[in-house]
C-alpha cells in the first residue's frame, strides 16, 4: 500500500515545517536486520541524510529504540548531545537529565528471570539472552522455528512466576521488561524537550518496523507523519518496503528541507 503520491506530498509538507523532528527506530528501519545485532549499522545513505537534516535550522533527529541506550550510542556513533531513546522509552538521553535508577527489587527479579531463561535456552540451540538495564531479551533469529514456541512458553511461565514483567514481542525477539513505558512515552518526552527549547511544537516524522513502534505511531498528532517499514499491520499512514526505501525518502526530505529553509 505504498501510497507514494501521498507520501511524496507528505515529505514536501515536512520539508516546509517550521520545526521538524525526525524520530526513527533503528533496527530494521535505518539499519537492516542481521544475525549479529552488534554488527548492525545504519545504511550510509540514511546516516548522511540525517546528518544533513541535523544541520538545518529548526530540525532535530532522534533514534527511538528498544536497545539499551549505551549500545545505541555506540552503534550510531552519535555525538554526546544527540537525542536518543533506549529500552523502549525507559532510558532517555535528551540533554542533561539522564540516568536510569534500577531498584533492588527490579535487579532481583531480573536476576531470577535470567537464571530461568539461561536454563530454558539450553534446549534451543542458537537462542541467546540479552541483558538490558531493565529487561531481558530472548533472541531466536538463529534458532530452528519449531523450537521457538516451547521456549517462549517456558520464558513466559518463568516471567509470570517471578512477576512484574511487561512482555514485548519483536522480530525474532521476546522481551521482558520491569518497566511499562513505551516508545510512545519516549517520543512524547522528545516532543516536550523540543517544545521547551524552541518555544513551540515540532512536526514529527516517525518510522519503525515492529510492534513496539506502533506505540510511537499511536501518539502522533494531526500533521505528523508515520511510516511503517516492511510488512505487518500498522496504524501508520504510509509504508515503505525496507530500510533502503526509507533512506531514499530521507534523502529526498533532506534535499527539500535544505531548499525550503536555507535555499
Ligand atoms: Mg525495529
Amino acid at each position: 500500500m505504498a501510497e507514494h503520491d501521498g507520501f511524496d506530498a507528505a515529505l514536501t509538507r515536512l520539508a516546509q515545517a517550521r520545526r521538524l523532528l525526525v524520530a526513527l527506530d533503528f533496527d530494521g528501519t535505518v539499519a537492516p536486520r542481521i544475525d549479529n545485532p552488534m554488527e548492525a549499522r545504519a545504511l550510509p545513505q540514511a546516516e548522511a541524510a540525517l546528518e544533513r537534516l541535523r544541520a538545518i535550522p529548526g530540525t532535530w533527529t532522534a533514534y527511538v529504540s528498544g536497545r539499551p541506550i549505551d549500545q545505541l550510542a555506540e552503534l550510531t556513533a552519535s555525538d554526546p548531545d544527540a537525542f536518543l531513546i533506549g529500552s523502549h522509552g525507559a532510558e532517555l538521553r535528551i540533554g542533561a537529565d539522564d540516568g536510569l535508577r534500577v531498584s533492588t527489587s527490579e535487579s532481583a527479579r531480573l536476576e531470577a528471570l535470567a537464571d530461568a531463561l539461561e536454563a530454558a535456552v539450553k534446549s534451543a540451540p542458537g537462542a541467546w539472552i540479552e541483558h538490558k538495564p531493565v529487561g531481558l531479551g530472548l533472541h531466536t533469529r538463529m534458532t530452528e522455528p519449531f523450537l521457538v514456541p516451547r521456549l517462549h512458553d517456558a520464558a513466559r511461565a518463568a516471567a509470570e512466576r517471578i512477576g512484574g514483567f511487561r512482555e514485548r514481542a519483536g522480530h525474532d525477539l521476546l522481551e521482558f521488561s520491569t518497566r511499562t513505558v513505551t516508545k510512545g512515552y519516549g517520543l512524547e518526552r522528545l516532543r516536550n524537550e523540543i517544545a521547551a527549547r524552541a518555544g513551540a511544537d515540532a512536526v514529527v516524522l516517525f518510522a519503525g518496523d515492529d510492534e513496539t513502534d506502533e506505540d510511537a505511531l499511536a501518539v502522533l498528532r494531526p500533521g505528523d507523519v508515520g511510516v511503517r517499514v516492511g510488512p505487518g499491520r500498522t496504524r501508520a499512514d504510509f509504508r515503505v518496503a525496507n530500510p533502503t526505501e526509507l533512506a531514499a525518502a530521507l534523502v529526498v526530505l533532506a534535499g527539500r528541507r535544505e531548499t525550503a529553509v536555507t535555499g
Side-chain angles (χ1 to χ4, degrees), residues 25-29 31 33 64-66 171 183 208-210 212-213:
D25 169 52
F26 182 70
D27 294 281
T29 297
R33 278 196 296 273
V64 181
S65 174
H171 292 294
K183 288 189 176 186
D209 73 313
D210 217 333
T212 56
D213 298 309

Side-chain angles (χ1 to χ4, degrees), residues 33-108:
R33 278 196 296 273
I34 54 170
D35 287 343
N36 180 351
M38 288 315 292
E39 285 170 9
R41 292 292 182 278
L43 290 174
Q45 221 189 357
E47 208 164 52
L50 289 171
E51 205 164 303
R52 281 167 67 190
L53 282 164
R54 270 196 299 277
I56 301 170
T59 313
W60 295 265
T61 72
Y63 283 120
V64 181
S65 174
R67 287 191 187 251
I69 209 154
D70 290 344
Q71 213 182 77
L72 187 62
E74 185 185 329
L75 295 182
T76 60
S78 64
D79 51 79
D81 47 47
F83 290 155
L84 297 177
I85 307 289
S87 297
H88 305 285
E91 294 184 285
L92 303 154
R93 205 176 77 188
I94 50 180
D97 77 315
D98 279 340
L100 181 65
R101 270 178 287 279
V102 181
S103 74
T104 49
S105 127
E106 277 181 296
S107 303

Side-chain angles (χ1 to χ4, degrees), residues 35 128 143 174 258:
D35 287 343
W128 60 279
T143 307
L174 189 64
E258 281 165 351

Side-chain angles (χ1 to χ4, degrees), residues 140-212:
T140 51
R141 188 179 167 91
M142 292 176 285
T143 307
E144 290 290 348
F146 78 94
L147 292 171
V148 173
R150 216 168 27 174
L151 178 61
H152 281 181
D153 286 348
R156 288 189 173 113
E160 186 138 336
R161 177 167 46 76
I162 297 159
F165 288 101
R166 181 198 164 106
E167 181 187 314
R168 292 188 185 92
H171 292 294
D172 303 313
L173 172 65
L174 189 64
E175 270 194 62
F176 299 93
S177 172
T178 54
R179 302 286 172 100
T180 57
V181 294
T182 67
K183 288 189 176 186
Y185 166 80
L187 185 54
E188 292 287 45
R189 287 285 308 270
L190 269 177
R191 202 196 278 278
N192 292 342
E193 175 69 19
I194 290 168
R197 289 182 187 202
D201 281 331
V203 170
V204 175
L205 166 65
F206 180 84
D209 73 313
D210 217 333
E211 264 314 295
T212 56

